[in-house]
Amino acid sequence: MKLKRLFSALAAGAALTALCATAQAREYSVSTVLSDAFPWGQAAQKWADLVNERSEGRITLRVYPNAQLVAGDQTKEFSAMRSGLIDMAVGSTINWSPQVPELNLFSLPFLMQNDADLDAITQGEGGKLAFAAIEQRGIVPLAWGENGFRQLSNSAKPVRSPADLAGLKIRVVGSPLFQDTFTALGANPTQMSWADAKPALTTGAVDGQENPLSVFDVARIDQVGQKYLTLWNYMADPLIFAVNQRVWKAMPEADRELLSQAARDAGKWEIELSRNAQAQRLADIRERGVEVIELSEAERAAFVEATASVQEKWAPRIGDALMDAARKAVAQP
């Protein structure tokens, strides 16, 4: 009888242990716009892998690519995360800018020239102010990633000056700032989702598009008539690893630190991966017959001058403190 009670007690203890383990286990949704065929999607998956490994399987981040949690409408991702429909995301400053106007900083035309300028902003006072603006809207930002500087392609002709853009229909994302930029350059900006962009390029409904080299390369934009690619680094699109505020507050402090450090490590890994691949991507694109146009300083200066009014118009919406921090950062030698 004693032995029976002992086995019963052991069984009850094992069941309780299993129940506690189950209760401690957590699964969270993570939204991204691109799959792991792209550095963007790889950043989210790296974050998930690091969290799973470091929590010994107790915390699972399930990645949902292609903006599937918002029915493909990437501009709704931030709002969905804020409302709790999405737990976490690795999101784009472009896509989140309708809800966080300060993030339009990174879409200002020709504010930054290169990676050093971008790093000076994100890793300095400008980055802190941008993160503070996100947190004020109910989202906790953890780390930076990178979608890259956006370049211009088209099917009509080499673009070396604003005059070359006159009348060209260029697909742009759903942001008024992009509309203003390409209007200032004399183009005809056409807003559409990325899902609609490739068919439009295929049929010639639009002449060109702007995206990072990784997207041009992996999505094989050269196969839809995009024969000319202008490297102009006209704006950058940093990525942000972030968490819904309510989800964050419900986590134990140790889990918050684990999640944050994993995000920082994944972001650093993805930025290096993305930048190190640029030279090979460019070589592959050239090999596929695309004419790559590299602007001289004077040619780039003409684009800067043509879009100066756009910076002036949008600076007040971004805020003096953030604008001053960014301009000081890029002015440093």
Side-chain angles (χ1 to χ4, degrees):
M1 196 69 175
K2 289 182 179 179
L3 189 60
K4 186 175 180 181
R5 284 199 297 270
L6 176 61
F7 279 129
S8 296
L10 289 173
L16 181 61
T17 300
L19 183 63
C20 289
T22 302
Q24 291 174 354
R26 294 287 185 271
E27 179 175 309
Y28 301 99
S29 59
V30 180
S31 175
T32 67
V33 169
L34 295 179
S35 72
D36 61 6
F38 302 83
W40 187 342
Q42 291 164 13
Q45 191 57 55
K46 182 70 170 180
W47 189 21
D49 292 343
L50 290 174
V51 168
N52 183 268
E53 175 189 334
R54 294 174 185 180
S55 70
E56 298 181 337
R58 185 172 51 82
I59 303 174
T60 299
L61 305 188
R62 189 165 302 281
V63 179
Y64 294 86
N66 303 315
Q68 60 183 282
L69 296 178
V70 285
D73 188 347
Q74 57 215 56
T75 61
K76 292 182 179 178
E77 182 180 68
F78 188 89
S79 296
M81 181 165 49
R82 183 168 54 189
S83 69
L85 294 175
I86 295 171
D87 297 322
M88 307 178 189
V90 179
S92 154
T93 55
I94 297 172
N95 293 335
W96 292 3
S97 62
Q99 290 79 37
V100 188
E102 291 88 344
L103 295 182
N104 283 298
L105 172 78
F106 299 99
S107 298
L108 287 178
F110 304 102
L111 174 66
M112 299 161 284
Q113 290 195 52
N114 49 39
D115 293 335
D117 284 350
L118 176 58
D119 291 344
I121 294 175
T122 58
Q123 305 307 311
E125 183 64 20
K128 293 176 184 177
L129 291 170
F131 270 19
I134 294 169
E135 194 149 13
Q136 287 171 5
R137 272 83 173 187
I139 299 297
V140 181
L142 303 179
W144 294 99
E146 186 165 287
N147 195 25
F149 278 89
R150 297 173 81 90
Q151 317 298 354
L152 175 72
S153 73
N154 82 95
S155 59
K157 57 186 174 181
V159 171
R160 289 188 171 276
S161 71
D164 294 328
L165 271 170
L168 290 185
K169 293 181 182 177
I170 305 296
R171 176 265 173 184
V172 296
V173 299
S175 164
L177 176 47
F178 284 70
Q179 295 275 346
D180 288 349
T181 296
F182 280 89
T183 298
L185 291 170
N188 181 5
T190 305
Q191 178 183 321
M192 62 179 64
S193 70
W194 183 240
D196 295 330
K198 278 192 87 172
L201 292 166
T202 301
T203 62
V206 294
D207 301 305
Q209 60 86 52
E210 47 77 52
N211 255 309
L213 281 182
S214 61
V215 174
F216 189 98
D217 181 27
V218 177
R220 293 303 306 269
I221 306 301
D222 54 286
Q223 292 183 337
V224 290
Q226 298 295 284
K227 299 183 293 184
Y228 306 99
L229 176 66
T230 298
L231 303 181
W232 62 346
N233 281 16
Y234 88 111
M235 55 84 59
D237 184 22
L239 302 176
I240 299 169
F241 294 72
V243 186
N244 168 278
Q245 202 170 75
R246 290 187 295 277
V247 169
W248 181 254
K249 288 179 178 179
M251 286 183 175
E253 183 61 34
D255 287 353
R256 293 182 195 175
E257 179 51 38
L258 186 153
L259 199 71
S260 296
Q261 188 59 55
R264 290 191 292 269
D265 292 343
K268 182 180 179 182
W269 173 85
E270 186 266 342
I271 289 171
E272 291 176 358
L273 175 76
S274 180
R275 292 180 184 180
N276 290 339
Q278 294 298 297
Q280 186 58 55
R281 289 193 190 284
L282 203 52
D284 292 344
I285 290 167
R286 281 191 167 108
E287 192 172 328
R288 297 200 292 263
V290 176
E291 182 178 340
V292 177
I293 297 92
E294 299 187 57
L295 302 179
S296 67
E297 288 188 15
E299 287 171 333
R300 190 176 189 277
F303 286 103
V304 174
E305 182 179 357
T307 55
S309 61
V310 180
Q311 281 204 30
E312 292 174 8
K313 175 181 176 179
W314 280 83
R317 308 183 193 190
I318 294 164
D320 291 342
L322 184 49
M323 286 299 307
D324 289 346
R327 284 170 173 160
K328 286 177 182 176
V330 301
Q332 292 176 352

